């Protein structure tokens, strides 16, 4: 009988270990999981084996070759794309069609009696025999029910607890007859349990379940990977170990050097040619790979160390996994559950907190305290995407090389021949990075429309005119030496969460598409961009009554790209405008909160002396605006949102308004007074844009100067907001101060609390528990509403180890008191996570 070993999985849950190594090659006590599987097959006489491969297939082939070293005959069936558990075996049909065959996963650790399984299959005359085992937690596996004769009655794939009706699960080990291939479509993704077995049962085919005794562990998570090492060392699984047991439970392989004054407390394993120096302590369930060096004073407990790792003096490694060729320098500390990828450098006296993932080829600086996973940058950021796209320090975290890889990953998510629109702000750094982005896009068979330096709303609008997506590069607001690379969808909006995750995956795999010479993309430079934008804006936005009102306004372009579109806009709106700071200033591509405030004060002085109706200040990329009233007083951003809402709702008298859940509930009063309703969204701009695209939405805003004018665009647009505001003021003949005065005062306060990644889930659970019987809204985070109408919102940050709190009350003191009360709950949950740790 032949065997099939399925070795094509990516092992995404095991990243970063599987970021550069296929899951079947992950070592368990210094042998790849798949080698343990092959040795089990050989022990039961299954020496002729087909290996199905897909992800990093060449590494599996190169390691095992033709199987001669194991005394086996190995052949390979390659999948160009994932075909599922049944599809991958169907792909090897030519080698299996003549006799019964056994299917087994190449990444599950077991010592089942396969000989007895095969005998059971033949005794029952089964078409398929499913190997089953009993587990305490069946949620991650397919449950199987069999009758007294062993015939399968029911399958259920990955149930919820409400669906759990057995602890007998499918191990993914099968004995099959070639007839089963008649039920599997070729070159299609097909699964045994979900697709094939239900059809066989419907046709009355004999499917039996064999309940195996022995050890079985599906090594699918970091926890199960570490557990498998411990189970082997404890003797719970029947495997052969290379080396010598020099004392009970202490295994040392050939060529290893252990100093007589090193402390070894088994069970543990020290690989071939490893070196453990004097004074080092290696404790229970630790595994050292080949050529590992452990320096004097180091302490290891439940640490799994792959090959060629250097562990410096006085380091402390507990319950962690360290990838190949990594250097852990002196006095570094790596906590329980942390995983370090291949070829990393962990600097002296740095601390890696529990459950942090450090992806391959990263450097953790000396003395760094890392409590978030390190995936894309040197350290500190848990996700590729933050609140403003992909952000970081120019030429430190965001380099031209990174820009090329990001653009290549983005291009790979699009079809060949698609068009992408690129744009930038007026900084030199953005200009340099955009050139790198354009090259990468063209090299990936993407045509590029380059707008050069334009306001962000113009880039969004132009992207929506026939492009598959867009990339805008700008200076991070308020951070002079940092840049944001913003990815846009075909509508010009920020990528959705799902699209961001897709880009994340492509980037992590680093499997970028490259064009053949004849497929290199074109590069074009559209003409009349500003005129086209202005024309579209004025056709969509109601500017009626402006010329008749004779309004005078002061417009501050802030030396940014908004100044490029204002000349073509102001002349056609019909307003008497005084423009200040219109010229581009490369040395000031962004503004700090202090410089923005100073600019608004200066704008107010000019508005007051010029007796203008109001003043508006654009941000440097023309996305957001800030207001001053006719008296020269600054209209704070949260008040500006209510003023605009009042004006729009009073004119429309119906429709929907999109606002994030962090907005004052006075907005509901204002909207309802004028016959409109609020739809609360998450704090994500793409969620605001989603609601703005819906029929009946008349306005949107975020309370930070971002306004959406849905009749023109579903994204923040400073010029559109300015044109809409000017028309509304002209037609109502009310001043901004008069409108502001008729709106009740809001008292919304915010506070940010440091919260380790590892306890964020527990913090939110404690918040829900503390809410008790009070009303709870989970639109975004957890919003708890008190009986008197006060509310607090607790929202974990998606990109940083921070929890945000907002609270609103009838006055500042009551809002502050509510913040204090819930800050204690959040802080208490975080502190509780540290109790009882250590040995």
């Amino acid at each position: 009988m032949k065997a099939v070993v399925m070795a094509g999985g990516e092992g995404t849950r095991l990243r970063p270990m599987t970021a550069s190594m296929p899951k079947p090659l992950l070592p368990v006590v210094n042998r790849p999981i798949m080698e343990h599987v092959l040795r089990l097959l050989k022990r039961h006489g299954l020496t002729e084996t087909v290996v199905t491969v897909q992800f990093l297939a060449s590494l599996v082939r190169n390691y095992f070759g033709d199987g001669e070293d194991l005394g086996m005959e190995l052949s390979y069936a390659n999948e160009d794309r994932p075909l599922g558990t049944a599809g991958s075996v169907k792909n090897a049909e030519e080698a299996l069609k003549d006799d019964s065959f056994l299917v087994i996963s190449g990444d599950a650790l077991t010592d089942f009696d396969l000989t007895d399984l095969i005998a059971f299959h033949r005794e029952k005359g089964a078409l398929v025999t499913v190997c089953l085992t009993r587990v305490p937690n069946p949620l991650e596996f397919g449950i199987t029910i069999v009758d007294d004769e062993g015939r399968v009655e029911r399958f259920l794939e990955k149930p919820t607890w409400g669906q759990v009706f057995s602890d007998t699960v499918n191990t993914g080990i099968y004995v099959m007859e070639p007839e089963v291939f008649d039920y599997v479509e070729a070159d299609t993704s097909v699964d045994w349990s979900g697709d094939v077995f239900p059809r066989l049962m419907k046709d009355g085919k004999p499917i039996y379940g064999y309940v195996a005794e022995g050890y079985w562990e599906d090594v699918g998570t970091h926890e199960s990977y570490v557990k498998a090492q411990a189970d082997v060392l404890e003797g719970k699984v029947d495997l052969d170990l290379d080396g010598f047991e020099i004392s009970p439970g202490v295994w040392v392989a050939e060529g290893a050097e252990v100093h007589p004054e090193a402390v070894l407390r088994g069970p543990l394993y020290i690989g071939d040619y490893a070196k453990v120096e004097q004074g080092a302590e290696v404790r229970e369930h630790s595994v050292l790979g080949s050529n590992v060096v452990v320096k004097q004073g180091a302490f290891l407990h439940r640490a799994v160390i792959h090959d060629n790792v250097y562990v410096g003096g006085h380091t402390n490694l507990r319950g962690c996994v360290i990838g190949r060729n990594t250097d852990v320098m002196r006095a570094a500390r790596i906590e329980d559950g942390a995983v370090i990828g291949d070829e990393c450098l962990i600097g002296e006296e740095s601390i890696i907190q529990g459950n942090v993932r450090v992806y391959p080829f990263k450097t953790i600086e000396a003395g760094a305290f890392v409590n978030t996973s390190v995936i894309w940058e040197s350290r500190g950021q848990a996700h590729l995407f933050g609140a403003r796209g992909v952000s970081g320090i120019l030429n430190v975290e965001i380099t031209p090389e990174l820009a090329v890889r990001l653009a290549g990953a983005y291009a790979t998510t699009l079809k060949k021949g698609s068009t992408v629109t690129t744009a930038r702000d007026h900084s030199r750094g953005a200009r340099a990075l955009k050139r790198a982005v354009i090259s990468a896009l063209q090299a990936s068979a993407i045509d590029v429309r380059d707008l050069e330096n334009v306001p962000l709303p113009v880039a969004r609008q132009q992207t929506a005119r026939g492009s598959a997506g867009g990339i805008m590069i700008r200076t991070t607001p308020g951070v002079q030496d940092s840049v944001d690379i913003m990815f846009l969808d075909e509508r010009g909006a920020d990528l959705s969460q799902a699209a961001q995750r897709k880009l994340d995956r492509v980037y992590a795999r680093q499997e970028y598409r490259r064009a053949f010479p004849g497929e290199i993309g074109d590069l074009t430079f559209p003409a009349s961009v500003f005129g086209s934008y202005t024309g579209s804006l004025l056709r969509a936005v109601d500017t009626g009554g402006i010329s008749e009102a004779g309004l005078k306004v002061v417009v501050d372009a802030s030396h940014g790209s908004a100044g490029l579109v204002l000349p073509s806009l102001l002349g056609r709106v019909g307003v008497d405008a005084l423009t200040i700071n219109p010229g581009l200033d490369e040395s000031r591509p962004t503004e700090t909160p202090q410089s923005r405030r100073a600019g608004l004060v200066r704008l107010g002085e000019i508005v007051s002396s010029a007796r203008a109706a109001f003043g508006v200040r654009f941000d440097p990329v023309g996305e957001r605006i800030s207001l001053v009233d006719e008296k020269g007083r600054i209209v704070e951003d949260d008040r500006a949102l209510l003023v605009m809402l009042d004006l729009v709702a009073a004119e429309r008298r119906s429709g929907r308004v999109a606002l994030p859940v962090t907005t004052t509930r006075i907005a509901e009063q204002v909207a309802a007074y004028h016959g409109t309703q609020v739809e609360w969204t998450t704090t994500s701009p793409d969620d605001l844009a989603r609601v703005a695209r819906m029929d009946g939405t008349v306005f949107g805003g975020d309370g930070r100067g971002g306004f959406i004018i849905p009749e023109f665009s579903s994204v923040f647009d400073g010029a559109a907001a300015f044109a809409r505001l000017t028309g509304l003021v002209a037609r109502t003949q009310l001043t901004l101060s008069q409108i502001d005065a008729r709106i009740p005062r809001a008292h919304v306060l915010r506070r940010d609390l440091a919260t380790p990644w590892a306890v964020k889930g527990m913090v939110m659970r404690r918040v829900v528990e503390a809410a008790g019987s009070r009303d709870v809204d989970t639109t975004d985070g957890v919003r708890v509403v008190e009986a008197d109408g006060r509310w607090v919102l607790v929202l974990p940050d998606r990109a940083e180890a921070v929890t945000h709190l907002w609270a609103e009350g009838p006055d500042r003191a009551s809002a502050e008191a509510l913040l204090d009360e819930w800050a204690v709950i959040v802080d208490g949950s975080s502190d509780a996570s540290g109790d009882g740790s250590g040995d």
Side-chain angles (χ1 to χ4, degrees):
M1 180 181 289
K2 292 183 180 179
V4 183
V5 176
M6 293 188 292
E10 294 187 32
T12 53
R13 291 181 297 166
L14 282 165
R15 289 177 182 164
M17 287 189 288
T18 54
S20 54
M21 179 190 295
K23 183 179 172 185
L25 291 187
L26 284 180
V28 172
V29 192
N30 277 32
R31 275 184 181 159
I33 305 175
M34 185 173 144
E35 183 172 340
H36 290 300
V37 171
L38 292 173
R39 287 175 180 270
L40 176 68
L41 292 174
K42 182 185 177 185
R43 190 189 313 167
H44 291 278
L46 298 162
T47 57
E48 194 173 349
T49 298
V50 181
V51 182
T52 67
V53 289
Q54 193 260 325
F55 179 67
L56 299 179
S58 62
L59 297 184
V60 177
R61 280 202 196 91
N62 291 343
Y63 186 91
F64 291 106
D66 61 6
E68 182 181 359
D69 291 345
L70 294 172
M72 302 180 71
E73 296 178 36
L74 300 185
S75 60
Y76 298 87
N78 189 68
E79 302 170 38
D80 295 328
R81 57 189 175 85
L83 295 175
T85 54
S88 63
V89 178
K90 174 75 171 180
N91 193 47
E93 179 179 7
E94 189 62 30
L96 304 169
K97 63 184 180 180
D98 297 327
D99 196 2
S100 308
F101 57 91
L102 181 140
V103 178
I104 191 169
S105 172
D107 50 27
L109 191 64
T110 183
D111 58 6
F112 286 162
D113 187 341
L114 302 182
T115 300
D116 199 47
L117 168 65
I118 294 167
F120 176 90
H121 172 82
R122 288 172 171 159
E123 175 191 332
K124 297 294 183 180
L127 174 63
V128 174
T129 297
V130 182
C131 186
L132 309 173
T133 193
R134 294 185 174 89
V135 297
N137 183 354
L139 290 187
E140 291 299 315
F141 310 103
I143 288 177
T144 306
I145 291 288
V146 296
D147 63 17
D148 292 340
E149 297 298 317
R151 190 154 184 152
V152 173
E153 293 183 332
R154 186 178 176 191
F155 288 103
L156 181 62
E157 280 295 292
K158 295 190 177 180
T160 64
W161 274 118
Q163 298 172 311
V164 169
F165 48 75
S166 171
D167 64 350
T168 305
V169 302
N170 181 355
T171 65
I173 303 173
Y174 311 110
V175 182
M176 297 179 164
E177 300 299 320
E179 181 189 340
V180 78
F181 288 127
D182 297 339
Y183 289 81
V184 184
E185 187 177 349
D187 298 321
T188 303
S189 181
V190 185
D191 284 313
W192 291 120
S193 296
D195 302 313
V196 179
F197 294 165
R199 289 179 56 199
L200 293 175
M201 293 176 66
K202 184 178 179 182
D203 289 354
K205 298 295 182 180
I207 303 181
Y208 283 82
Y210 168 87
V211 181
E213 300 293 334
Y215 181 90
W216 178 79
E217 181 71 46
D218 176 39
V219 185
T221 65
H222 295 104
E223 294 74 18
S224 62
Y225 177 69
V226 174
K227 178 179 180 296
Q229 317 278 342
D231 288 345
V232 171
L233 294 173
E234 293 279 1
K236 294 180 179 180
V237 52
D238 182 15
L239 297 180
D240 294 328
L241 295 181
D242 287 332
F244 311 94
E245 191 173 12
I246 61 173
S247 63
V250 177
W251 291 83
V252 178
E254 179 184 353
E257 295 180 30
V258 179
H259 194 280
E261 295 185 24
V263 179
L264 305 180
R265 297 186 182 180
L268 58 85
Y269 183 90
I270 298 174
D272 53 307
Y273 302 101
K275 182 178 181 180
V276 181
E277 291 191 352
Q278 174 184 0
E281 184 173 353
V282 184
R283 294 186 55 179
E284 298 88 351
H285 300 159
S286 292
V287 176
L288 308 187
S290 300
N291 303 304
V292 168
V293 174
V294 181
K295 299 296 285 184
Q296 183 175 358
F299 177 90
L300 287 73
H301 185 203
R302 293 179 289 108
V304 179
I305 315 297
H306 292 181
D307 296 346
N308 305 311
V309 169
Y310 172 88
V311 180
H314 304 285
T315 50
N316 193 307
L317 312 183
R318 298 169 183 259
C320 56
V321 178
I322 311 295
R324 297 171 301 174
N325 305 314
T326 286
D327 294 333
V328 183
M329 307 309 287
R330 184 190 63 81
R333 183 182 182 93
I334 303 177
E335 300 285 4
D336 190 74
V339 180
I340 312 299
D342 295 345
E343 301 194 40
C344 291
L345 173 63
I346 310 300
E348 291 187 358
E349 299 184 4
S350 58
I351 298 175
I352 312 294
Q353 286 283 79
N355 299 311
V356 163
R357 307 291 186 247
V358 178
Y359 272 59
F361 313 110
K362 299 295 182 289
T363 298
I364 304 300
E365 296 90 336
F369 180 86
V370 182
N371 61 4
T372 62
S373 292
V374 181
I375 303 176
W376 316 113
E377 69 295 339
S378 293
R379 67 173 175 86
Q381 192 169 330
H383 302 281
L384 178 60
F385 283 87
R388 299 171 303 273
V390 181
S391 306
I393 300 171
L394 177 65
N395 276 340
V396 176
E397 294 172 303
I398 305 294
T399 63
E401 296 86 350
L402 176 69
V404 166
R405 293 197 298 272
L406 282 170
Y410 182 56
T412 303
T413 68
L414 306 174
K415 293 181 180 179
K416 282 187 177 182
S418 298
T419 298
V420 168
T421 297
T422 58
R424 63 172 176 86
D425 71 6
H426 56 286
S427 67
R428 292 184 178 182
R431 179 192 300 152
L433 291 175
K434 182 174 65 65
R435 290 169 177 167
V437 163
I438 290 172
S439 296
L441 291 172
Q442 290 182 280
S444 300
I446 297 295
D447 294 333
V448 179
R449 296 174 67 244
D450 185 27
L451 305 179
E452 300 183 278
N453 175 22
V454 297
L456 178 54
V458 174
R460 294 186 186 276
Q461 185 226 34
Q462 289 292 315
T463 297
R465 294 189 166 185
S467 294
I471 299 177
M472 172 78 182
I473 303 176
R474 69 170 184 182
T475 305
T476 302
V479 187
Q480 186 87 5
D481 60 354
S482 183
V483 292
D484 302 334
I485 302 180
M486 304 178 66
F487 293 89
L488 312 179
D489 64 16
E490 71 279 1
R491 294 182 297 261
D494 293 344
L495 288 186
S496 67
Q497 300 290 323
Q500 290 180 17
R501 287 192 292 270
K502 181 178 180 181
L503 181 53
D504 270 348
R505 289 193 295 270
V506 175
Y507 182 91
R509 296 170 187 165
Q510 299 190 23
E511 296 175 357
Y512 312 135
R513 181 181 67 221
R514 290 290 177 257
F516 296 111
E519 298 176 326
I520 300 296
D522 290 333
L523 175 61
T524 57
F525 300 90
S528 305
V529 170
F530 299 124
S532 171
Y533 170 82
T534 302
S536 299
L537 172 58
L538 295 179
R539 285 191 295 273
V541 176
D542 185 359
T543 57
I546 295 178
S547 299
E548 296 79 1
L551 288 181
K552 178 188 290 186
V553 298
V554 182
V555 180
D556 186 350
S558 307
H559 296 292
S561 55
L564 298 173
V565 78
L566 288 175
S568 61
L569 175 64
L570 295 175
R572 298 168 66 179
V573 167
V575 67
D576 180 9
L578 169 62
T579 303
I580 62 175
N581 301 320
L584 295 175
D585 186 348
E586 285 188 350
S587 67
R588 290 190 288 182
T590 187
E591 53 186 5
T592 64
Q594 296 77 16
S595 63
R596 173 179 173 272
R597 193 77 183 180
L600 285 171
V601 170
R602 176 61 181 152
L603 175 62
E605 294 170 351
I606 297 173
V607 167
S608 178
S609 62
R611 299 184 182 277
F614 62 88
V616 61
R617 178 180 173 87
F618 286 84
D619 75 353
V621 293
E623 184 179 40
R624 300 172 182 271
I625 58 173
S626 301
L627 304 177
V628 297
D629 66 18
E630 77 286 356
K631 298 177 182 180
R633 297 180 302 194
I634 297 172
V635 183
E636 302 296 344
D637 287 343
D638 57 342
R639 295 299 295 178
L641 175 62
L642 295 176
V643 167
M644 282 284 283
L645 170 61
D646 184 77
L647 285 166
V648 172
E651 182 172 87
R652 288 298 185 94
R653 295 287 173 180
S654 65
R656 179 193 304 106
V657 175
L659 301 173
V661 290
T662 52
T663 308
T664 170
R665 264 46 191 178
I666 287 173
E668 274 186 323
Q669 300 176 30
V670 173
Y673 180 80
H674 295 299
T676 59
Q677 65 180 38
V678 174
E679 175 146 344
W680 299 108
T681 76
T682 70
T683 54
S684 172
D686 68 278
D687 198 30
L688 266 175
R690 175 187 61 81
V691 177
R693 290 192 295 271
M694 297 167 58
D695 291 339
T697 302
V698 298
F699 176 68
D702 69 350
R704 296 184 292 113
F707 298 101
I708 298 175
I709 312 302
E711 56 265 41
F712 174 64
S713 171
S714 62
V715 295
F716 298 140
D717 190 319
F722 166 68
R724 183 78 169 107
L725 174 64
T726 305
L728 289 165
V729 171
R731 291 189 292 276
T732 59
Q733 298 186 354
L734 293 174
T735 65
L736 294 191
S737 64
Q738 289 172 329
I739 299 164
D740 189 16
R742 73 186 187 186
I743 301 172
R745 309 309 294 181
H747 300 280
V748 179
L749 302 179
R750 172 176 165 171
R751 188 177 300 174
D752 295 339
L753 300 174
T755 309
W757 282 102
V759 300
K760 280 190 175 183
M762 183 183 71
V763 166
M764 299 309 292
R765 173 171 59 80
R766 295 277 178 86
V767 167
V768 172
E769 291 171 352
S773 61
R774 286 169 284 196
D775 289 341
V776 171
D777 173 16
T778 55
T779 300
D780 199 11
V782 175
R783 189 173 75 94
V784 182
V785 184
E786 304 284 348
D788 58 6
R790 295 181 303 152
W791 58 267
V792 64
L793 173 67
V794 183
L795 178 65
D797 192 285
R798 60 181 271 198
E800 298 179 13
V802 170
T803 298
H804 306 292
L805 278 70
W806 285 264
E808 180 172 25
D811 52 54
R812 184 178 181 88
S814 64
E816 193 81 54
L818 199 57
L819 270 186
D820 290 341
E821 175 188 344
W822 287 89
V824 170
I825 294 170
V826 172
D827 266 342
S829 300
S830 299
D831 293 343
S833 69
D835 297 342
S837 61
D839 294 320

